[in-house]
Amino acid sequence: AQKVTQAQTEISVVEKEDVTLDCVYETRDTTYYLFWYKQPPSGELVFLIRRNSFDEQNEISGRYSWNFQKSTSSFNFTITASQVVDSAVYFCALSEAGETSGSRLTFGEGTQLTVNP
Amino acid sequence: EPEVTQTPSHQVTQMGQEVILRCVPISNHLYFYWYRQILGQKVEFLVSFYNNEISEKSEIFDDQFSVERPDGSNFTLKIRSTKLEDSAMYFCASSDQFTGELFFGEGSRLTVL
């Protein structure tokens, strides 16, 4: 069975600080996909990134960066120079890559990030 | 930019009533999903739908739930006889390949009294 653990329930930082959100996953599949979603107070789910299990290169997109390490089954997300608008719940998710499973995502519990001015 | 749309945004119903939540997926997508998020909890998979049939469902998706694609554009989730514990945000999603990015709608909040 798949499992995603986001050990940090809540994080509070001051604007311009860097913050890292941790994500640890469990799966028996050799091929899988990892995702991060942002859920602002308005409630929608905003896609941030998808990474397949064969691509361990770190990725940077503006102030966002992701560190994927298969050896530790982790897919951590860092926000550099955080801003108040980054305040949201962030979910890490995992999907297997079976032919008929579609994108059945297993979500973590989420990390509530609060960025204070 | 194409988007998944959901109606209603919020529905209040009495326990035991039937509820239908509607979704219009992105037009060229082939895979459709419903997810649920009880307030303050994580997002949970309910069901995936492909080629006019359910491809996978979770243990949450019991006989009280059904999905349908009645025409070429809508994708619906029906809850036959709502219970208090069905109160949640229901997200519809679609994707254009089986391991692609899921595009989520803005959600339909269901409140069962």
Side-chain angles (χ1 to χ4, degrees):
Chain A
Q2 299 181 321
K3 186 178 178 183
V4 176
T5 302
Q6 294 179 254
Q8 304 148 309
T9 307
E10 295 182 28
I11 300 176
S12 184
V13 299
V14 176
E15 214 170 9
K16 295 184 184 158
E17 282 185 25
D18 298 348
V19 58
T20 295
L21 309 181
D22 297 332
C23 174
V24 174
Y25 62 92
E26 295 175 29
T27 179
R28 282 180 280 194
D29 296 328
T30 54
T31 303
Y32 51 89
Y33 291 79
L34 295 162
F35 301 75
W36 276 95
Y37 283 87
K38 175 182 179 179
Q39 188 174 44
S42 49
E44 72 270 26
L45 288 166
V46 178
F47 169 84
L48 296 178
I49 190 171
R50 175 175 72 104
R51 174 55 53 86
N52 77 56
S53 52
F54 297 109
D55 182 4
E56 285 193 72
Q57 278 196 341
N58 292 331
E59 181 156 339
I60 298 174
S61 175
R63 296 184 297 107
Y64 296 168
S65 62
W66 291 269
N67 184 338
F68 176 28
Q69 292 197 350
K70 278 178 88 167
S71 60
T72 55
S73 297
S74 65
F75 187 45
N76 296 337
F77 172 35
T78 298
I79 302 175
T80 303
S82 58
Q83 300 175 1
V84 173
V85 294
D86 296 327
S87 296
V89 180
Y90 290 85
F91 290 98
C92 181
L94 167 72
S95 79
E96 60 187 29
E99 288 185 8
T100 58
S101 64
S103 286
R104 174 178 180 159
L105 299 185
T106 299
F107 282 81
E109 300 283 340
T111 297
Q112 170 71 61
L113 173 65
T114 302
V115 181
N116 298 299
Chain B
E1 186 176 321
E3 59 180 16
V4 176
T5 58
Q6 290 185 239
T7 54
S9 56
H10 188 195
Q11 181 158 356
V12 181
T13 190
Q14 295 291 327
M15 191 169 56
Q17 295 295 305
E18 176 182 283
V19 160
I20 297 177
L21 305 179
R22 291 182 168 80
C23 170
V24 178
I26 295 173
S27 60
N28 63 341
H29 284 184
L30 301 177
Y31 296 85
F32 314 113
Y33 314 85
W34 284 100
Y35 284 77
R36 179 183 83 174
Q37 185 183 30
I38 295 172
L39 185 64
Q41 298 186 21
K42 65 180 177 182
V43 180
E44 300 173 292
F45 170 81
L46 289 178
V47 65
S48 59
F49 191 87
Y50 170 70
N51 201 25
N52 282 320
E53 60 182 22
I54 291 173
S55 50
E56 191 171 7
K57 60 183 181 180
S58 72
E59 55 279 3
I60 302 169
F61 194 88
D62 61 22
D63 292 344
Q64 292 298 312
F65 291 90
S66 62
V67 290
E68 196 176 37
R69 190 157 160 82
D71 53 44
S73 59
N74 290 287
F75 179 51
T76 62
L77 173 70
K78 182 194 291 187
I79 308 175
R80 216 178 319 277
S81 177
T82 49
K83 302 188 282 280
L84 295 176
E85 54 264 37
D86 293 327
S87 295
M89 180 77 93
Y90 289 83
F91 290 101
C92 174
S94 67
S95 66
D96 60 358
Q97 60 191 62
F98 68 87
T99 52
E101 172 189 342
L102 259 66
F103 290 81
F104 282 89
E106 294 195 347
S108 293
R109 180 166 297 285
L110 175 65
T111 302
V112 182
L113 302 176

